[in-house]
Amino acid sequence: MTATTASTSLALRSPWAMVPSLGNLDAYIRAVHALPLLTAEEEAESARRLRDHEDVDAAGRLVLSHLRLVVSISRQYLGYGLPQGDLIQEGNVGLMKAVRRFDPDQGVRLVSYALHWIKAEIHDYIVRNWRLVKVATTKAQRKLFFNLRSLKHDLKAQAEDPVRHALTAAEIDQVARSLNVSADEVVEMETRLAGGEVALEAPSDEEEGGALAPIHYLSDDTHEPSRQIERQARDQLASHGLTHALEQLDARSRRIVEARWLDVNDDASGGKTLHELAAEYGVSAERIRQIETAALKKMRATLASA
């Protein structure tokens, strides 16, 4: 091993602990771009040590020196609405697969060999996690999905009216011939891609007080056990509990509570007023209010202990 190789080996062996998690994306990207690259000789030597001796350190050197490649490739797929951190993570899986299968004696650099594996993992991740690509079940449809945006961009650049967004019939036929799919498939994919995505749950960093995510108003908790228990308890209090609480009052207090809160006139004017009850019992309205307050307090205590 040359002095240069030895120094690079030491420089790349320790950075495993220097690369932060993808939770802090900016710090991760800065860290991977600070990692040194391998020369062709160093790369070939590490690949042979991995192939011939299962050298884990050699595999680490190959992976670490190409993490920036994954970051670069992930940027090409940001238009699909998925987090870049997730794209990088999947791309790193592809990079590790490439490192495992790389043969230095084939005469190509790892960067060229790894491109296929990194993109393949990212493509599979997008297909698994983006609902719009459920139609992309064939090889031709997948090719359409991943190339339609770039083809539309090229066609718009050539068009007389680059502001318009929809493809013309002639352009649809051109795309269909280019990607070996039907014109109907092009139209369907363009419609789906133009529809956009709405997150069911709010992002974790969404500020408090912001708009409610769909999960808050689309969820059905009708049969959720805790909700059922709450409803049963509420119904119990509204029927048997209320009756029991009223039974704990003296006749006058019960009459006042019922007349004030439980008896509703046919004309929807509500219960009796304090002055009406005061005239009925020959006391002041303030005295009726005191009796009512004491009765309601006693009822609350009875309901709380039920």
Side-chain angles (χ1 to χ4, degrees):
M1 181 181 294
T2 65
T4 302
T5 304
S7 62
T8 305
S9 173
L10 291 174
L12 282 173
R13 190 172 299 182
S14 58
W16 279 112
M18 295 172 55
V19 178
S21 70
L22 281 166
N24 188 340
L25 186 59
D26 290 337
Y28 175 87
I29 293 175
R30 285 196 301 270
V32 299
H33 279 88
L35 294 172
L37 298 175
L38 295 176
T39 65
E41 294 76 14
E42 292 167 343
E43 178 180 290
E45 181 180 354
S46 295
R48 292 188 182 96
R49 290 187 62 81
L50 173 61
R51 181 192 62 189
D52 300 336
H53 305 289
E54 296 291 326
D55 190 331
V56 177
D57 286 338
R61 289 192 291 273
L62 293 170
V63 170
L64 285 170
S65 64
H66 288 79
L67 290 178
R68 68 180 67 189
L69 172 64
V70 178
V71 172
S72 177
I73 294 174
S74 71
R75 293 195 183 100
Q76 303 173 19
Y77 298 92
L78 294 180
Y80 295 101
L82 296 171
Q84 187 179 9
D86 291 351
L87 297 174
I88 292 174
Q89 182 170 285
E90 295 300 320
N92 287 343
V93 173
L95 172 60
M96 288 185 282
K97 290 182 177 180
V99 166
R100 184 65 182 173
R101 294 166 172 80
F102 179 59
D103 184 355
D105 297 327
Q106 292 296 319
V108 297
R109 295 293 300 271
L110 177 58
V111 63
S112 300
Y113 181 76
L115 279 172
H116 163 76
W117 290 96
I118 295 170
K119 289 185 176 182
E121 288 297 322
I122 293 177
H123 285 189
D124 286 343
Y125 171 73
I126 294 173
V127 169
R128 292 194 309 270
N129 290 276
W130 207 44
R131 69 168 178 83
L132 297 183
V133 298
K134 295 297 168 86
V135 296
T137 54
T138 67
K139 184 177 180 180
Q141 288 174 332
R142 286 165 64 93
K143 185 177 181 181
L144 170 61
F145 175 77
F146 287 108
N147 289 277
L148 182 57
R149 275 195 176 93
S150 60
L151 286 173
K152 284 186 64 176
H153 182 270
D154 294 341
L155 289 171
K156 285 176 63 178
Q158 302 170 14
E160 296 180 0
D161 181 13
V163 177
R164 64 178 173 80
H165 298 286
L167 292 175
T168 65
E171 290 171 340
I172 290 174
D173 291 337
Q174 183 178 343
V175 171
R177 289 194 302 272
S178 175
L179 298 178
N180 193 29
V181 296
S182 68
D184 289 340
E185 288 175 311
V186 175
V187 173
E188 181 181 7
M189 186 64 73
E190 184 185 19
T191 302
R192 289 175 176 268
L193 289 174
E197 290 285 297
V198 176
L200 182 62
E201 296 183 345
S204 58
D205 59 350
E206 182 176 292
E207 294 183 2
E208 187 175 351
L212 288 178
I215 194 172
H216 294 297
Y217 53 82
L218 293 179
S219 59
D220 180 12
D221 57 5
T222 304
H223 303 291
E224 201 273 320
S226 63
R227 297 294 186 185
Q228 290 182 322
I229 293 173
E230 289 177 4
R231 284 194 295 271
Q232 291 172 359
R234 184 175 61 252
D235 294 342
Q236 179 73 15
L237 288 176
S239 55
H240 303 293
L242 182 59
T243 300
H244 176 67
L246 286 170
E247 290 173 351
Q248 308 309 306
L249 303 177
D250 60 79
R252 184 173 63 171
S253 297
R254 178 171 181 173
R255 160 69 180 148
I256 290 173
V257 171
E258 289 178 339
R260 288 277 290 152
W261 301 104
L262 301 180
D263 292 342
V264 179
N265 298 332
D266 293 337
D267 59 1
S269 61
K272 289 183 177 296
T273 66
L274 293 175
H275 292 284
E276 289 174 337
L277 290 170
E280 180 179 333
Y281 284 100
V283 297
S284 66
E286 175 60 22
R287 179 56 183 156
I288 296 296
R289 188 193 64 78
Q290 292 174 354
I291 295 173
E292 178 190 30
T293 301
L296 292 176
K297 183 177 180 181
K298 185 173 183 179
M299 289 180 66
R300 282 193 292 268
T302 301
L303 291 172
S305 61

